[in-house]
Amino acid sequence: MAHFTLLDAMNAIEVIMDPRMDNGVTLPNENESKTSSFDPQAPLSSEEISWILDRAVAAEGEDFHAEKFEVGLCEGLQTNKVLESLDSAEQRLNEWTAQLSHLRSARSLLDDIISSPSPSEPVATSPARAAFDPAICRKLVVVTPLKPIELSNQGQAWTILKNELDGLIGMYEIAEQGTSADWMILMKSRPPQWTLDLVYRHIVPIQHDYILSLASSLSQHMLVGGAAHDSHLLLNGVMDLQRRLQEVLDHFLLSLNQNRPRTRRNFAKVLSAWHKIEADATQLMITIRAPLQHIRLAAQVTYRLPLVIHHFRLAIITEYVMAGFELELYETSEWPFLYWYVAVILGEQVGTLNDLLQTLDQDSESQEAASRLENTLKWCEGLQRLCWGRFVMLVPLIGTAALTPHMDLDRQRRNMMKRFDWSIPSASESSVLEDSGRPDWNAYETAVARLKGRE
């Protein structure tokens, strides 16, 4: 075939191994052969210039395959110049936290641009059309030839830019004043990775969280109240607890931004660590409660902190189980136990939230936390009713062909315990704290027998 080169033949072999490597065959009638070189000195009308600027925004939103396969992007620059540019870029990113007003101004200007009349498409013979070469990727010095670029239409380009600005503004506001609940909502929306990295690495490590402020407040009370003088080891224990909470909380929030299979795996890996922290925190709070009884706020924190940790752990368990339904990982014969288990976990969560609400003060910060907890409480109560209702509906079908594959209860129990092996601590992780998040097969069988007895 004419124009079928050795490079095209090699690419065809690569496609057999990985279809994503397919860039198509370069034929003489393709767009790249029709695209003339752009002449920056050519006279252009104001409408043609506006069209070029608008399309440049669309081009910025596309993936230009910047990876050059270990070929430096700045071959013509000395290494020290590149490093200086990186230092300058990092400095600008660090200063970006003070530029929220500029982002809002940009968002306002974008609305003005979108509401204004758009420039018409240049005629086919216009030199403006040569400003964009869809086959530019084929002309880059890379190991593997790349596909021609397809720009989105202008409406889609404005929407992409508007969403990115809204995301940056929202994440900056959360980074300034947000709590873990705000971060959870944000992470679940899966914002663009580059904006997430910008906020997380350059604006704020996740510090603004109620659970961490409790541990920090407790450390301060111990220093002021004299408990630290009586037992330096206790103060070190609280500070170590704060460090461990920071680690697992960061891991939890960042896991939410990943795809659901990876989120679920990460939750399974970290749940035993949450239980160990909860057990250690409970024991530590009991130990330091007596020395801090004369400080009312500190004494309240010793009751509140384990409850907050327990609340987070139950939330992770709920996310873990429900993600399995989203990913269709469960057999229908497993559904009754899983719906029962989630209903039990949510019942425990409802009790924990009610206990937490009883420990809050009347100050503004506590009332703000109470408002969030009350909303979470309503959500948990509603989801618990749904799960319990689903369990009640499935009980009559247990052991029938409607739930497949058919398995006896003993085999189902073994399968479930294998699915929830993260709930069984190792010998080094065992604690005196009873794990209310661990599946209880005997309680499940009792619930099934009770409901079947009513039929």
Side-chain angles (χ1 to χ4, degrees):
M1 178 190 294
H3 305 290
F4 189 82
T5 65
L6 176 61
L7 187 62
D8 293 318
M10 294 172 62
N11 182 61
I13 295 175
E14 290 176 341
V15 169
I16 295 175
M17 297 183 290
D18 187 351
R20 293 175 299 176
M21 302 296 291
D22 185 14
N23 68 298
V25 179
T26 306
L27 299 177
N29 62 347
E30 284 194 5
N31 291 333
E32 62 177 298
S33 62
K34 296 181 180 181
T35 304
S36 58
S37 299
F38 178 65
D39 180 9
Q41 304 296 327
L44 298 172
S45 67
S46 58
E47 194 163 82
E48 288 174 324
I49 294 174
S50 297
W51 180 83
I52 291 176
L53 293 174
D54 284 357
R55 298 311 291 153
V57 173
E60 286 289 338
E62 297 296 321
D63 179 9
F64 274 103
H65 311 282
E67 172 58 60
K68 295 187 68 182
F69 302 91
E70 299 183 359
V71 178
L73 290 172
C74 303
E75 299 97 327
L77 293 179
Q78 297 180 3
T79 303
N80 63 331
K81 294 292 184 182
V82 176
L83 294 177
E84 289 176 5
S85 299
L86 289 174
D87 291 338
S88 176
E90 183 178 6
Q91 182 179 359
R92 287 196 297 271
L93 285 173
N94 291 331
E95 295 172 352
W96 182 83
T97 57
Q99 305 303 319
L100 180 59
S101 61
H102 295 323
L103 285 171
R104 287 174 173 158
S105 297
R107 181 66 174 79
S108 177
L109 289 173
L110 180 60
D111 286 336
D112 294 339
I113 293 173
I114 295 175
S115 61
S116 302
S118 300
S120 58
E121 289 273 341
V123 297
T125 57
S126 169
R129 288 191 171 275
F132 302 97
D133 184 359
I136 186 63
C137 285
R138 294 183 184 272
K139 300 176 183 179
L140 295 176
V141 182
V142 294
V143 174
T144 303
L146 303 168
K147 291 183 178 181
I149 297 172
E150 295 181 6
L151 298 183
S152 57
N153 63 52
Q154 199 57 48
Q156 292 174 332
W158 292 136
T159 300
I160 291 172
L161 181 57
K162 181 170 63 174
N163 290 341
E164 288 186 350
L165 286 174
D166 288 342
L168 283 170
I169 292 171
M171 282 193 289
Y172 175 82
E173 291 172 342
I174 290 177
E176 284 289 287
Q177 301 177 346
T179 64
S180 63
D182 301 314
W183 280 101
M184 286 174 63
I185 295 172
L186 174 67
M187 298 297 189
K188 286 183 178 180
S189 67
R190 305 275 310 276
Q193 187 61 44
W194 69 270
T195 53
L196 180 68
D197 291 342
L198 179 66
V199 170
Y200 186 74
R201 295 178 183 177
H202 296 285
I203 294 182
V204 59
I206 302 174
Q207 297 281 358
H208 305 288
D209 191 88
Y210 190 60
I211 191 172
L212 294 175
S213 67
L214 284 177
S216 176
S217 173
L218 188 59
S219 299
Q220 294 173 8
H221 284 307
M222 291 182 71
L223 286 170
V224 175
H229 176 72
D230 297 335
S231 178
H232 184 69
L233 291 177
L234 290 179
L235 177 60
N236 288 340
V238 172
M239 297 179 70
D240 180 66
L241 177 65
Q242 183 178 359
R243 177 189 59 79
R244 292 164 63 192
L245 285 171
Q246 176 77 66
E247 291 176 356
V248 294
L249 184 63
D250 286 0
H251 180 275
F252 166 60
L253 294 173
L254 290 177
S255 295
L256 288 175
N257 189 56
Q258 298 170 346
N259 59 50
R260 291 303 274 169
R262 184 168 295 176
T263 297
R264 190 173 183 273
R265 288 195 299 272
N266 285 338
F267 284 172
K269 292 176 182 177
V270 79
L271 272 168
S272 59
W274 274 95
H275 177 58
K276 186 68 168 62
I277 290 175
E278 181 185 348
D280 292 346
T282 301
Q283 190 62 40
L284 183 62
M285 295 305 104
I286 293 173
T287 304
I288 67 176
R289 191 169 295 150
L292 294 177
Q293 283 294 340
H294 62 290
I295 308 175
R296 186 181 63 86
L297 292 177
Q300 286 181 337
V301 171
T302 63
Y303 290 99
R304 195 181 307 161
L305 184 57
L307 288 172
V308 176
I309 297 173
H310 191 54
H311 158 62
F312 268 89
R313 182 166 180 267
L314 294 174
I316 295 175
I317 293 175
T318 303
E319 287 280 345
Y320 171 83
V321 179
M322 299 309 290
F325 281 107
E326 294 177 42
L327 300 170
E328 300 181 352
L329 299 179
Y330 306 133
E331 300 284 357
T332 54
S333 59
E334 298 174 318
W335 287 7
F337 175 82
L338 292 166
Y339 280 116
W340 170 86
Y341 176 58
V342 175
V344 170
I345 291 296
L346 289 169
E348 177 77 12
Q349 184 74 283
V350 168
T352 301
L353 292 171
N354 279 319
D355 291 342
L356 263 175
L357 287 169
Q358 296 299 319
T359 68
L360 295 179
D361 298 316
Q362 298 300 315
D363 58 274
S364 58
E365 182 180 357
S366 296
Q367 290 306 302
E368 183 180 353
S371 177
R372 292 194 301 270
L373 290 175
E374 287 170 354
N375 290 333
T376 305
L377 177 62
K378 293 177 182 177
W379 180 85
C380 289
E381 289 174 337
L383 185 57
Q384 183 195 24
R385 294 190 190 101
L386 288 173
C387 290
W388 184 260
R390 186 67 170 159
F391 165 65
V392 172
M393 292 173 61
L394 290 171
V395 165
L397 303 179
I398 294 177
T400 69
L403 301 180
T404 57
H406 174 67
M407 293 184 289
D408 59 68
L409 290 180
D410 185 60
R411 184 179 175 186
Q412 286 190 35
R413 179 187 60 80
R414 293 196 302 269
N415 285 353
M416 283 296 102
M417 292 304 102
K418 187 175 181 179
R419 284 194 180 278
F420 294 94
D421 58 357
W422 48 263
S423 67
I424 304 175
S426 62
S428 60
E429 295 175 338
S430 60
S431 66
V432 296
L433 179 67
E434 181 181 353
D435 187 1
S436 57
R438 186 176 303 165
D440 186 343
W441 186 263
N442 292 331
Y444 165 70
E445 289 184 324
T446 301
V448 171
R450 184 180 297 116
L451 287 173
K452 282 195 171 186
R454 297 176 182 175
E455 295 177 6

Coordinates of all heavy atoms in Angstrom, one line a residue, residues 174-207:
I174 N -12.8 25.3 51.1 CA -12.8 24.2 52.1 C -11.4 24.1 52.8 O -11.4 23.8 54.0 CB -13.1 22.9 51.3 CG1 -14.6 22.9 50.9 CG2 -12.8 21.7 52.2 CD1 -14.9 21.7 50.0
A175 N -10.3 24.4 52.0 CA -9.0 24.3 52.6 C -8.9 25.4 53.7 O -8.1 25.2 54.7 CB -7.9 24.5 51.5
E176 N -9.6 26.5 53.6 CA -9.5 27.5 54.6 C -10.3 27.2 55.8 O -9.8 27.4 56.9 CB -10.0 28.9 54.0 CG -8.9 29.5 53.0 CD -7.8 30.1 53.8 OE1 -7.9 31.1 54.4 OE2 -6.7 29.5 53.7
Q177 N -11.5 26.7 55.6 CA -12.4 26.6 56.8 C -13.2 25.3 56.8 O -14.0 25.1 57.7 CB -13.5 27.7 56.7 CG -12.9 29.1 56.8 CD -14.0 30.2 56.6 OE1 -15.1 29.9 56.3 NE2 -13.6 31.4 57.0
G178 N -12.9 24.3 55.9 CA -13.6 23.1 55.8 C -13.3 22.1 56.9 O -12.3 22.2 57.6
T179 N -14.2 21.2 57.1 CA -14.0 20.1 58.1 C -13.9 18.8 57.3 O -14.0 18.8 56.1 CB -15.2 20.0 59.1 OG1 -16.4 19.7 58.3 CG2 -15.4 21.3 59.8
S180 N -13.8 17.7 58.0 CA -13.7 16.4 57.3 C -15.0 16.1 56.5 O -15.0 15.5 55.5 CB -13.5 15.3 58.4 OG -14.6 15.2 59.3
A181 N -16.2 16.6 57.0 CA -17.4 16.3 56.3 C -17.4 17.0 55.0 O -17.8 16.5 53.9 CB -18.6 16.8 57.1
D182 N -16.9 18.3 54.9 CA -16.7 19.0 53.7 C -15.8 18.3 52.7 O -16.0 18.2 51.5 CB -16.3 20.4 53.9 CG -17.2 21.2 54.8 OD1 -18.4 21.1 54.6 OD2 -16.7 21.9 55.8
W183 N -14.6 17.8 53.3 CA -13.7 17.1 52.4 C -14.2 15.8 51.9 O -14.0 15.4 50.8 CB -12.4 16.8 53.3 CG -11.5 18.0 53.4 CD1 -11.3 18.9 54.4 CD2 -10.6 18.5 52.4 NE1 -10.4 19.8 54.1 CE2 -9.9 19.6 52.9 CE3 -10.3 18.1 51.1 CZ2 -9.0 20.3 52.2 CZ3 -9.3 18.8 50.4 CH2 -8.7 19.9 50.9
M184 N -15.1 15.1 52.7 CA -15.7 13.9 52.2 C -16.5 14.1 51.0 O -16.5 13.4 50.0 CB -16.5 13.2 53.3 CG -15.6 12.6 54.4 SD -16.6 12.0 55.8 CE -17.6 10.8 55.0
I185 N -17.4 15.2 51.1 CA -18.2 15.5 49.9 C -17.4 15.9 48.7 O -17.7 15.4 47.6 CB -19.2 16.6 50.3 CG1 -20.1 16.2 51.4 CG2 -20.0 17.1 49.1 CD1 -21.0 17.3 52.0
L186 N -16.4 16.6 48.9 CA -15.5 17.1 47.8 C -14.8 15.9 47.2 O -14.8 15.7 46.0 CB -14.5 18.1 48.3 CG -13.4 18.5 47.3 CD1 -14.1 19.3 46.2 CD2 -12.3 19.3 47.9
M187 N -14.2 15.0 48.0 CA -13.4 13.9 47.5 C -14.3 12.9 46.7 O -13.9 12.4 45.7 CB -12.7 13.2 48.6 CG -11.7 14.0 49.4 SD -10.3 14.5 48.4 CE -9.3 15.2 49.6
K188 N -15.5 12.7 47.2 CA -16.4 11.8 46.5 C -16.8 12.3 45.1 O -17.2 11.6 44.2 CB -17.7 11.6 47.3 CG -17.4 10.7 48.5 CD -18.7 10.4 49.3 CE -18.5 9.5 50.4 NZ -19.8 9.2 51.2
S189 N -16.8 13.6 44.9 CA -17.1 14.2 43.6 C -16.0 14.0 42.6 O -16.2 14.3 41.4 CB -17.4 15.7 43.7 OG -16.2 16.4 44.1
R190 N -14.8 13.4 43.0 CA -13.7 13.1 42.1 C -13.3 14.3 41.3 O -13.4 14.3 40.1 CB -14.1 11.9 41.2 CG -14.5 10.7 41.9 CD -13.4 9.8 42.3 NE -12.4 9.5 41.3 CZ -12.5 8.6 40.4 NH1 -13.6 7.8 40.3 NH2 -11.5 8.4 39.5
P191 N -12.8 15.4 41.9 CA -12.4 16.6 41.1 C -11.2 16.2 40.3 O -10.5 15.2 40.6 CB -12.0 17.6 42.2 CG -11.7 16.8 43.4 CD -12.5 15.6 43.4
P192 N -10.8 17.1 39.3 CA -9.6 16.8 38.5 C -8.4 16.6 39.4 O -8.2 17.3 40.4 CB -9.5 18.0 37.7 CG -10.9 18.6 37.6 CD -11.5 18.3 38.9
Q193 N -7.6 15.6 39.1 CA -6.5 15.2 40.0 C -5.5 16.4 40.2 O -5.0 16.6 41.3 CB -5.7 14.0 39.4 CG -4.7 13.4 40.3 CD -5.2 12.9 41.6 OE1 -6.3 12.3 41.6 NE2 -4.6 13.3 42.7
W194 N -5.2 17.2 39.1 CA -4.2 18.2 39.2 C -4.7 19.3 40.2 O -3.9 19.9 40.9 CB -3.9 18.8 37.9 CG -5.0 19.6 37.2 CD1 -6.0 19.2 36.4 CD2 -5.2 21.0 37.4 NE1 -6.8 20.2 36.0 CE2 -6.4 21.4 36.6 CE3 -4.6 22.1 38.1 CZ2 -6.9 22.6 36.5 CZ3 -5.1 23.3 38.1 CH2 -6.3 23.6 37.3
T195 N -6.0 19.6 40.2 CA -6.5 20.6 41.2 C -6.5 20.0 42.6 O -6.1 20.8 43.5 CB -8.0 21.0 40.8 OG1 -8.8 19.8 40.8 CG2 -8.0 21.7 39.5
L196 N -6.7 18.7 42.8 CA -6.6 18.1 44.1 C -5.2 18.2 44.6 O -4.9 18.5 45.7 CB -7.1 16.7 44.0 CG -7.1 15.9 45.4 CD1 -8.1 16.5 46.3 CD2 -7.4 14.5 45.1
D197 N -4.3 17.8 43.7 CA -2.8 17.9 44.1 C -2.4 19.3 44.5 O -1.7 19.5 45.5 CB -2.0 17.3 43.0 CG -2.1 15.9 42.7 OD1 -2.6 15.2 43.6 OD2 -1.8 15.4 41.7
L198 N -2.9 20.3 43.7 CA -2.5 21.6 44.0 C -3.0 22.0 45.4 O -2.2 22.6 46.2 CB -3.2 22.6 43.0 CG -3.0 24.1 43.1 CD1 -1.5 24.4 42.9 CD2 -3.8 24.8 42.2
V199 N -4.2 21.7 45.7 CA -4.8 22.1 47.0 C -4.1 21.3 48.2 O -3.7 21.9 49.2 CB -6.3 21.9 47.1 CG1 -6.8 22.1 48.5 CG2 -7.0 22.9 46.1
Y200 N -4.0 20.0 48.0 CA -3.5 19.2 49.1 C -2.0 19.4 49.4 O -1.6 19.4 50.5 CB -3.7 17.7 48.7 CG -3.4 16.8 49.9 CD1 -4.2 16.7 51.0 CD2 -2.2 16.1 49.9 CE1 -3.9 15.9 52.1 CE2 -1.9 15.2 51.0 CZ -2.8 15.2 52.1 OH -2.5 14.4 53.1
R201 N -1.2 19.6 48.3 CA 0.2 19.7 48.5 C 0.7 21.2 48.8 O 1.7 21.4 49.5 CB 0.9 19.2 47.3 CG 0.7 17.7 47.1 CD 1.4 17.2 45.8 NE 1.2 15.8 45.6 CZ 1.6 15.2 44.5 NH1 2.3 15.8 43.6 NH2 1.3 13.9 44.4
H202 N -0.1 22.1 48.3 CA 0.5 23.5 48.4 C -0.4 24.4 49.2 O 0.1 25.5 49.6 CB 0.6 24.1 47.0 CG 1.6 23.4 46.1 ND1 2.9 23.5 46.3 CD2 1.4 22.5 45.1 CE1 3.6 22.8 45.4 NE2 2.7 22.1 44.7
I203 N -1.7 24.1 49.5 CA -2.5 25.0 50.3 C -2.6 24.5 51.7 O -2.3 25.3 52.6 CB -3.9 25.0 49.7 CG1 -3.8 25.7 48.3 CG2 -4.8 25.8 50.6 CD1 -5.2 25.9 47.6
V204 N -2.9 23.3 51.9 CA -3.0 22.8 53.3 C -2.9 21.3 53.4 O -3.5 20.6 52.7 CB -4.4 23.3 53.9 CG1 -5.5 22.8 53.1 CG2 -4.5 22.9 55.3
P205 N -2.1 20.8 54.3 CA -2.2 19.5 54.7 C -3.6 19.4 55.5 O -3.9 20.4 56.2 CB -1.0 19.2 55.7 CG -0.1 20.3 55.4 CD -0.9 21.5 55.0
I206 N -4.3 18.3 55.5 CA -5.6 18.3 56.1 C -5.5 18.4 57.6 O -5.2 17.5 58.3 CB -6.4 17.1 55.7 CG1 -6.5 17.0 54.2 CG2 -7.8 17.1 56.3 CD1 -7.1 15.8 53.6
Q207 N -5.7 19.6 58.1 CA -5.5 19.9 59.6 C -6.9 20.3 60.2 O -7.1 20.1 61.4 CB -4.5 21.0 59.8 CG -3.1 20.6 59.4 CD -2.4 19.7 60.3 OE1 -2.9 19.4 61.4 NE2 -1.2 19.3 60.0

